[in-house]
Amino acid sequence: MKPVLLIHGGAWAMPDDEIEAHERGIANALDAGWAVLERGGTSVEAVEAAVVVMEDDETFDAGRGSFLTRDGRVQLDALLMNGENLRTGGVACVERLPNPIKAARLVLDESPHVYFVGLGAERFAMQHGMKLCDNMDLVIPREQKRLYAAQEADLKGLRDTTFSGPMDSHDTVGAVALDSYGNLAAGTSTGGTLNKAPGRVGDSSLIGCGCYADNLSAAVSLTGWGEPIMKLVLGKWAVDRVAAGSDPQEAASAAIAYLYDRLGGHGGVILLGPDGRIGLAHNTPRMAWGLATDVGKTLGITRN
Ligand code: ASP
């Protein structure tokens, strides 16, 4: 098989002055993930490598620099799934792991379980060799300012706290890959939504919601307002359409239309079929993405 790597760095109303940083972050992640596929690595390894780069980049809502919870902490969620055998690893509400996707990989590889949360997830990661950091190492001043501004707007009744709009930052990161052995993988990593309640888990790390991979259907990663995406189990909905014969682009567009028509939701999706065909759709003003194939690399910020 010819390998393919498709990644995203969020879908929202990215302002002009943030475009360069997003493009740079996407390019770096694409390079890291593609290098793995080029040397014959697996799709799981490539997805992990690409996501780690974006977690390490403060531009995105993943790893250090993520949105803060209502009480000013970073709480991270991530999922990694292997489409060959459906092995999956997920972590949620971790506060002391700069790279939750690495913990997800450990769960996938080393555990009979699929999903760990909070302290249990951190303990599992530590027992498998990961170093824990201080939560404050993940908090940056930009996000503290953003949180204070949101909380002030809430107090004045200027913000709808039940809704995370398409103009709000949705900088979750994700990747889908097909390796030369014909296997798919998908990964998604996020700091969730701004001012979220502590303990809130969004779609990103929930299997079949913000992420899914199965060689018999497709690999998918989503970003956007998590609650509607979860209610529709939208990742699984999209890959099932590919399994039923839809072209991945058709399935991606249909998923975003369904999200909006059914629940007024918004977001972006990337989709990759086992034959290497891709799909990408969003109903937010912009979406950051990158694609690497044997023909070359393309990246961009798509506008609606
Ligand atoms: N979907 C994520 C969540 O709701 C947020 C995002 O994509 O930015 O947690």
Side-chain angles (χ1 to χ4, degrees):
M1 279 308 289
K2 286 184 175 167
V4 179
L5 175 66
L6 178 62
I7 68 175
H8 73 81
W12 58 292
M14 242 161 259
D16 290 344
D17 61 1
E18 291 201 29
I19 289 195
E20 208 187 306
H22 279 79
E23 284 183 342
R24 201 178 326 117
I26 291 280
N28 292 338
L30 213 50
D31 285 349
W34 184 249
V36 172
L37 291 175
E38 253 191 330
R39 63 165 187 263
T42 67
S43 52
V44 168
E45 290 164 341
V47 166
E48 181 188 3
V51 170
V52 162
V53 169
M54 292 187 280
E55 287 177 337
D56 287 342
D57 186 332
E58 289 173 16
T59 305
F60 303 104
D61 178 29
R64 183 178 149 83
S66 285
F67 281 155
L68 301 181
T69 59
R70 193 183 285 169
D71 56 2
R73 297 174 72 78
V74 165
Q75 272 194 350
L76 304 170
D77 312 329
L79 192 86
L80 184 61
M81 186 158 183
N82 183 340
E84 179 189 9
N85 48 24
L86 306 195
R87 288 195 69 118
T88 307
V91 295
C93 296
V94 293
E95 296 193 345
R96 294 182 295 165
L97 294 169
N99 294 110
I101 198 74
K102 288 188 184 174
R105 172 77 191 274
L106 284 171
V107 177
L108 184 155
D109 282 343
E110 310 281 345
S111 174
H113 306 307
V114 165
Y115 204 82
F116 286 81
V117 299
L119 285 178
E122 291 173 358
R123 197 171 303 143
F124 176 86
M126 203 173 64
Q127 283 164 353
H128 289 80
M130 278 180 80
K131 267 181 68 179
L132 300 186
C133 66
D134 194 284
N135 191 255
M136 283 314 286
D137 295 342
L138 306 177
V139 175
I140 63 170
R142 178 192 71 204
E143 292 307 321
Q144 288 177 316
K145 271 194 221 142
R146 211 199 294 250
L147 179 68
Y148 300 147
Q151 292 183 338
E152 214 177 298
D154 287 354
L155 282 176
K156 292 182 183 153
L158 297 175
R159 224 174 68 98
D160 181 351
T161 50
T162 59
F163 173 74
S164 174
M167 306 309 280
D168 294 336
S169 166
H170 288 292
D171 260 333
T172 290
V173 304
V176 289
L178 174 68
D179 60 30
S180 50
Y181 317 101
N183 294 319
L184 289 169
T188 307
S189 180
T190 190
T193 47
L194 175 61
N195 201 27
K196 67 183 180 182
R200 177 263 187 193
V201 178
D203 63 303
S204 307
S205 68
L206 296 184
I207 189 165
C209 297
C211 188
Y212 199 76
D214 183 347
N215 283 1
L216 300 183
S217 53
V220 66
S221 174
L222 286 113
T223 179
W225 181 20
E227 279 71 10
I229 295 172
M230 289 156 77
K231 289 173 188 168
L232 298 175
V233 197
L234 197 58
K236 184 69 165 63
W237 188 94
V239 301
D240 283 349
R241 287 184 84 96
V242 179
S246 274
D247 174 77
Q249 182 53 49
E250 266 170 37
S253 302
I256 294 300
Y258 176 46
L259 175 65
Y260 185 75
D261 295 344
R262 184 70 181 92
L263 290 175
H266 63 267
V269 59
I270 55 173
L271 203 48
L272 173 60
D275 56 2
R277 285 182 301 165
I278 63 155
L280 181 146
H282 60 107
N283 62 354
T284 49
R286 286 174 164 163
M287 178 163 182
W289 60 274
L291 171 70
T293 65
D294 61 333
V295 177
K297 292 180 187 142
T298 322
L299 54 101
I301 311 281
T302 315
R303 284 166 187 266
N304 261 332

